[in-house]
Structures are given as C-alpha cells and as structure tokens.
Amino acid sequence: MLRYALVFVCIRSIWGFGYHVNIVKPGPLYPPTKGEVWPKPQNERKEPIYYSFDPGHFKVKVQQETCDILTNAVERYIYIIKNKSGLHARDRKLRAHRRTDDVYKGKINQLMITLTSPCEEYPHFDMIESYNLSVADTSQLTSTSIWGVLRGLETFSQLFYLSNDRNELYINKTDIIDFPRYKHRGILLDTSRHYATTSTILKLLESISINKMNVFHWHIVDDQSFPYQSEKFPEISERGAYDSSMVYTKEDILMIIDFARNRGIRVIPEFDVPGHTASWGLAYPGVLTECYNQQQMVGLGPMDPTKNITYKLLADLFAEVQDLFPERYFHVGGDEVELNCWSSNPHLRDYMNKNKLKVSDLHSLFMRNVIPLLSNSSKVIVWQEVFDEKVPLSMDTLVQVWKNGWVTEMISVLKSGHSVLFSAAWYLDSLNQKWTDLYKQDPRGMVLDATDNSSLAEGVVGGEACMWGEMINVRSVMARVWPRACAVAERLWSSVEGSYYIVPAEAYHRIEEHTCRMIRRGIDSGPPSGPGFCVV
C-alpha cells in the first residue's frame, strides 16, 4: 500500500498538481573531505600524487635553531600522526600491500624542519606565525619563528588522511604558503559561573592550538565565585570560591601557562572591575559600594571608586598576578557597572555633588585610577564601556567590542586611533547560533563595507569567541565551544574569498573532517551540520 501511495504522489508531482517528494538519501548530510586543512591556508596547491605513511620509516630532522618548545612539538605531532589519525587496529604488516596506480610515489621519508631564528620564550601579540610547507617524499617546513613552526606542524598533521579500508595513512604532494590575517585570535572562558577543572582548561588549550588560535582569554573571577588563589590575599578565595577544591593555585596556573606556551598560546588574565566583583566582598566588603533603595541599604554593588582601600587592594593583587602571568596584556574589564547603585549611595551622591560629577564620571574616575596600577610594561584591554565613558586610554589599549550596534562602535573606536578586538557576533552562550552564523561575520569586512576605508579596517587586530559560564560546565563546555568556534578560527586566520557573509560550499564538508579530527584527538566536539559520523 505504501509503495502505491509513493508512486501516486510522484505521478501527481509530475502532472503538476503541486505534490513534492522529499527523498532522504542514506549517508552523511555533508560527506567529509580527506586531508583538508582547517583553518584554510592562505595559499595551497595540492596534487593527486600521494605518499603513504609508515611509522617505522618516517623521520623528523630539525635544522639550524631548536629549543624545548620545538623538541616537545615534534614528539607531540609524531604521536598524533601515528596514534590519533583513525588507523584501523590491525597488524601494521597488512598495510604494506602493493599498489599499481601511477600517482602513488611510495613512502613519505622525512620532514625537514628549518627554523631560521632563535626561539622566543613566550608567545606575544606581534609574534610571527607564517610558515612554508612543501610535502613530498622528503618534506620541508620552514619558518623564521618557533610559532610559525608550530602552525606548520599542525597543518602537516591535518594533511594526512585514511585509506578507504582504514589500514593506511596517505598524504598528497602539497605546497603551502600560510600566515594569519589577524594577530589576536582567541577563546574566552569564564571560570567563575561554573568552575572549570585544570584538565578541562588544558584540553581547551589543545583544541585552541588545533584551530591555530593563539589566545586564551581567562575570565577567571566574577560575581559568583573567586577561584584565583592569591598568596597575598588567600581569604578572598577561601570565602569567595564555591569550594576549597575549586581554586586555581599558583602551581595550576604555571602549568596552564607552560602548556599554552608549548602550543604558541598567550594566556591573558582578566580581573573585571569595578563591576562583577560581588565575590570579592565576602572577604573585603569595605571595597564594595553599599546600594540603597528608599534610604535603606539593600546590598553591595560595584567597587567604591572613592576609597583608597579599593586601589590598595587592586594594586597589590594586580602586582601578584602580573608576576605570575608573563603576558604583557592585562584585561581590566570595565563592563556592566551598576551605576544605579552608585547613584543610590548617600556618600557617593555627596561626593558627586561636591565635585560636580555625573554618575558616569565615577566610572571614568575609577578606570583612570586603576589602569596606572598595572606595571609599566603592561598593555591594557578593556570592554567597550570604558571607551564609551571617555576614559583617557593609551593608544596601545585594545578595546573589546561586544554589544549590539557593533559596526558603529568599531568605527568610533578606530577613528579615535585605538585598535579593536571583536567579539559581539561571536558569543558562544547564544545557543541559537550555528557555526555558519559565526562564519558569516568578518569585523574588517564590516568596517570596510561601512566606510570603504581599508586602512581604518586594519585597526581591527583580532577577535575572540566568548564562552560565558552560566549554562555550561566541564561536561558540556567542549561541545558548546566546538565546532562553532572553528568558524571564528577560520575567519581570523584565512583570507576571505568573495563576500564574507557567504559560507563556501566546500567548508561544510571540510568542517566535518575537522570535527572528526578533533574528536579523535580527545576533544568532545558537537556535530557541525546534521546527520553524519566519525571514525575514531
């Protein structure tokens, strides 16, 4: 009966009566590519000539400069290629069968790595990440920087793909010249709303490196909890952390920084002030403002901008944090300050009247006093409200744009001479956004469309995908970040071909392969686009 009904519907459709048959084909919605790189390289020429990989035969040779970062990376990537590429768990001898096709050129023998300049100790804002890679029986990877070598090794590992029977790894003859479009390519993780274990952060760093991103923006404390364990002020985390087990010790932080360093990732700490500081007040209520409703105190709000104790605490804490983190940039926040609390406080109202200030001037006053507390070598990142309140900022301050109306905001910041970090369209806690929605956003493209000024658009130095922690925990964070943040990674690394708001058809297939690649490496990524599968 069903068979006849289907035939009837098909005939009615042919006769033009408006019926439509939706035929679902078996198999994945977007079959994955084989040996394609994410994010897409700037220049890539791949030939049908291919080589096979024999773990016992392949060697890596380092020429000219070397260091512990390079030694560690070579060991790590050899392990990844050998053990995380999805090879079938059969006896390796079965893989060495004879081929007769003309495009097979034998085994890949070795990778020659040429690092032409001494290694830098830590990644930094102006680090060089460009590299040249030529894949043949003897492959060549060349860069002037250790960070470029790391990016090239990641690309090299992604070029391998499985034979159809999963018994062998192949790699095609390929030439790549590659470099990033943007200097700052980051992931923000909020570890206050839900505590993230150190192992979770390390896994996130691994996934950041797989996607050639180079910044871990650590929003480490907030209203809900204070998991940073200060040696100068241990009572803040003792009272402000969710639990004594949910803190980051000095040893934890140093391990995270070193893990990131080995992957060319900068770790930028954020201590968001004067708002988002309720957890500080459990140990130091005196630094927070008493909020009033009809002359009755109802709770504590932002830090009090008129008390010397506020700045003394921040000066000592920031000095400790900056001694611990080698990164020159420091994020002081400055967003979402509850101005109504300040305006409700009798002491602050008297202060404003006496000094002829508006409540927004208190925000400016606070930030003007806080920023100089950082060390002289520091550079500052602020959320856009600090700029909007017309706080005097040094020209090397980065303004992070996160609100609606972001094109107008970016143009305003850029015309002032400051550089922009873009996050507004890349909030990962917005569950209704697909990876394609994030892919269609390019901050320089938006500025260029609005102004037709390419030099102004160049002032956008990068961006971040932001994973706020209200609705994620260690069990769900990876699937919330990936593969959606892959879109941000490619936008910030790769050239834009055609209109930036169009997703290339091939990207749907390439992200399927990349998602499976991450899963094989232990990253619990969600599916990108619909029905499909991963061989792990």
Side-chain angles (χ1 to χ4, degrees):
M1 194 68 187
L2 179 60
R3 186 182 307 165
Y4 292 120
L6 180 59
V7 171
F8 174 74
V9 170
C10 291
I11 292 173
R12 292 291 297 269
S13 179
I14 293 170
W15 287 345
F17 294 140
Y19 287 94
H20 175 71
V21 178
N22 183 26
I23 302 298
V24 178
K25 297 180 180 180
L29 182 61
Y30 295 103
T33 53
K34 284 181 170 286
E36 297 297 335
V37 178
W38 193 286
K40 193 175 182 65
Q42 300 290 348
N43 298 286
E44 180 181 24
R45 183 170 59 86
K46 184 177 288 190
E47 300 182 31
I49 294 170
Y50 72 99
Y51 309 88
S52 61
F53 176 77
D54 182 345
H57 182 77
F58 179 75
K59 305 294 181 185
V60 176
K61 182 177 180 181
V62 176
Q63 301 184 116
Q64 295 190 32
E65 303 291 341
T66 189
C67 59
D68 63 324
I69 297 176
L70 181 50
T71 301
N72 294 337
V74 168
E75 292 178 359
R76 186 168 67 251
Y77 279 103
I78 288 178
Y79 176 83
I80 287 170
I81 295 167
K82 288 181 179 180
N83 299 285
K84 300 295 182 180
S85 299
L87 282 173
H88 199 286
R90 293 183 183 177
D91 189 327
R92 293 186 186 274
K93 293 180 181 179
L94 295 178
R95 299 175 190 148
H97 57 274
R98 184 175 299 171
R99 297 173 192 78
T100 57
D101 53 319
D102 294 335
V103 291
Y104 173 66
K105 299 300 179 182
K107 297 175 182 178
I108 184 170
N109 296 317
Q110 64 178 343
L111 173 65
M112 304 282 290
I113 299 175
T114 304
L115 174 59
T116 61
S117 298
C119 294
E120 296 173 300
E121 187 175 2
Y122 288 100
H124 55 91
F125 179 78
D126 289 313
M127 62 181 169
I128 295 171
E129 298 174 272
S130 58
Y131 65 92
N132 292 348
L133 176 64
S134 179
V135 176
D137 53 353
T138 296
S139 300
Q140 304 279 346
L141 170 61
T142 304
S143 179
T144 61
S145 164
I146 180 59
W147 319 119
V149 170
L150 293 180
R151 307 302 175 232
L153 282 169
E154 179 59 43
T155 292
F156 183 68
S157 72
Q158 293 187 16
L159 289 168
F160 286 93
Y161 59 95
L162 284 168
S163 61
N164 291 333
D165 61 8
R166 291 182 57 204
N167 286 331
E168 289 194 277
L169 277 181
Y170 297 148
I171 189 168
N172 283 60
K173 182 175 175 58
T174 308
D175 291 296
I176 289 174
I177 300 172
D178 204 10
F179 52 88
R181 287 181 70 212
Y182 292 88
K183 291 182 176 183
H184 184 120
R185 308 178 308 280
I187 297 288
L188 176 151
L189 180 66
D190 164 17
T191 58
S192 171
R193 276 58 177 252
H194 282 92
Y195 174 80
T197 61
T198 301
S199 60
T200 299
I201 293 175
L202 297 182
K203 186 172 289 189
L204 179 65
L205 290 169
E206 189 68 45
S207 63
I208 288 172
S209 71
I210 293 172
N211 287 275
K212 293 194 180 75
M213 300 177 99
N214 64 0
V215 171
F216 172 45
H217 174 170
W218 193 353
H219 188 90
I220 192 167
V221 301
D222 209 294
D223 283 327
Q224 289 75 14
S225 74
F226 194 101
Y228 171 77
Q229 188 179 75
S230 168
E231 293 184 344
K232 291 182 179 178
F233 305 101
E235 59 275 12
I236 306 184
S237 61
E238 286 172 3
R239 299 186 183 186
Y242 283 136
D243 185 81
S244 60
S245 65
M246 297 181 181
V247 296
Y248 302 107
T249 66
K250 179 178 180 179
E251 291 72 25
D252 293 332
I253 293 171
L254 290 175
M255 178 174 63
I256 287 167
I257 291 170
D258 188 63
F259 191 92
R261 164 184 174 267
N262 274 281
R263 287 153 182 80
I265 299 169
R266 302 159 56 205
V267 182
I268 298 179
E270 180 186 357
F271 284 76
D272 193 356
V273 292
H276 295 281
T277 51
S279 61
W280 304 52
L282 295 174
Y284 290 93
V287 304
L288 302 185
T289 304
E290 293 181 345
C291 307
Y292 284 77
N293 184 16
Q294 296 181 349
Q295 299 183 340
Q296 183 173 352
M297 204 270 278
V298 294
L300 298 176
M303 289 182 165
D304 189 321
T306 65
K307 289 185 177 180
N308 290 335
I309 187 177
T310 301
Y311 302 112
K312 172 63 173 152
L313 173 64
L314 291 175
D316 291 344
L317 181 67
F318 286 176
E320 175 187 302
V321 172
Q322 291 194 284
D323 284 343
L324 191 56
F325 286 81
E327 171 62 39
R328 289 187 67 189
Y329 276 92
F330 190 97
H331 205 307
V332 295
D335 65 318
E336 295 184 319
V337 180
E338 185 52 65
L339 300 181
N340 288 336
C341 174
W342 278 347
S343 62
S344 76
N345 182 279
H347 164 71
L348 292 185
R349 282 207 307 269
D350 289 344
Y351 182 91
M352 286 186 283
N353 289 334
K354 185 179 298 184
N355 292 279
K356 299 180 180 180
L357 300 175
K358 302 187 300 292
V359 67
S360 59
D361 294 329
L362 292 180
H363 189 196
S364 179
L365 169 69
F366 180 89
M367 300 310 298
R368 286 201 309 271
N369 288 333
V370 163
I371 290 174
L373 300 179
L374 300 174
S375 67
N376 292 333
S377 62
S378 297
K379 295 185 178 182
V380 182
I381 307 176
V382 296
W383 295 108
Q384 69 180 70
E385 288 94 323
V386 179
F387 172 82
D388 294 340
E389 297 292 348
K390 297 180 171 51
V391 176
L393 299 169
S394 63
M395 295 313 297
D396 56 8
T397 299
L398 301 183
V399 178
Q400 191 158 3
V401 173
W402 70 279
K403 289 186 173 183
N404 290 331
W406 53 72
V407 175
T408 300
E409 180 76 13
M410 284 195 290
I411 293 171
S412 178
V413 174
L414 294 169
K415 285 185 175 179
S416 76
H418 289 95
S419 297
V420 165
L421 291 179
F422 178 76
S423 294
W426 292 333
Y427 267 44
L428 300 175
D429 52 316
S430 177
L431 298 181
N432 62 342
Q433 283 194 318
K434 302 176 182 178
W435 74 267
T436 49
D437 298 321
L438 278 65
Y439 197 98
K440 294 174 183 177
Q441 310 294 333
D442 179 67
R444 285 181 185 164
M446 297 177 212
V447 172
L448 195 57
D449 282 352
T451 66
D452 197 29
N453 187 332
S454 59
S455 61
L456 190 69
E458 288 297 313
V460 184
V461 296
E464 295 177 354
C466 298
M467 187 68 262
W468 298 103
E470 286 88 347
M471 300 302 295
I472 56 100
N473 58 24
V474 293
R475 293 167 183 83
S476 60
V477 59
M478 290 301 166
R480 289 282 183 90
V481 173
W482 311 109
R484 291 187 300 159
C486 297
V488 179
E490 180 148 303
R491 267 293 171 246
L492 292 173
W493 181 281
S494 308
S495 294
V496 178
E497 298 177 5
S499 300
Y500 65 81
Y501 43 81
I502 296 174
V503 182
E506 58 84 21
Y508 287 87
H509 301 274
R510 193 160 41 84
I511 200 170
E512 293 286 341
E513 179 185 13
H514 187 58
T515 297
C516 291
R517 179 185 295 134
M518 288 193 292
I519 290 172
R520 285 197 297 269
R521 296 196 196 178
I523 309 303
D524 295 326
S525 173
S529 305
F533 69 101
C534 289
V535 175
V536 293

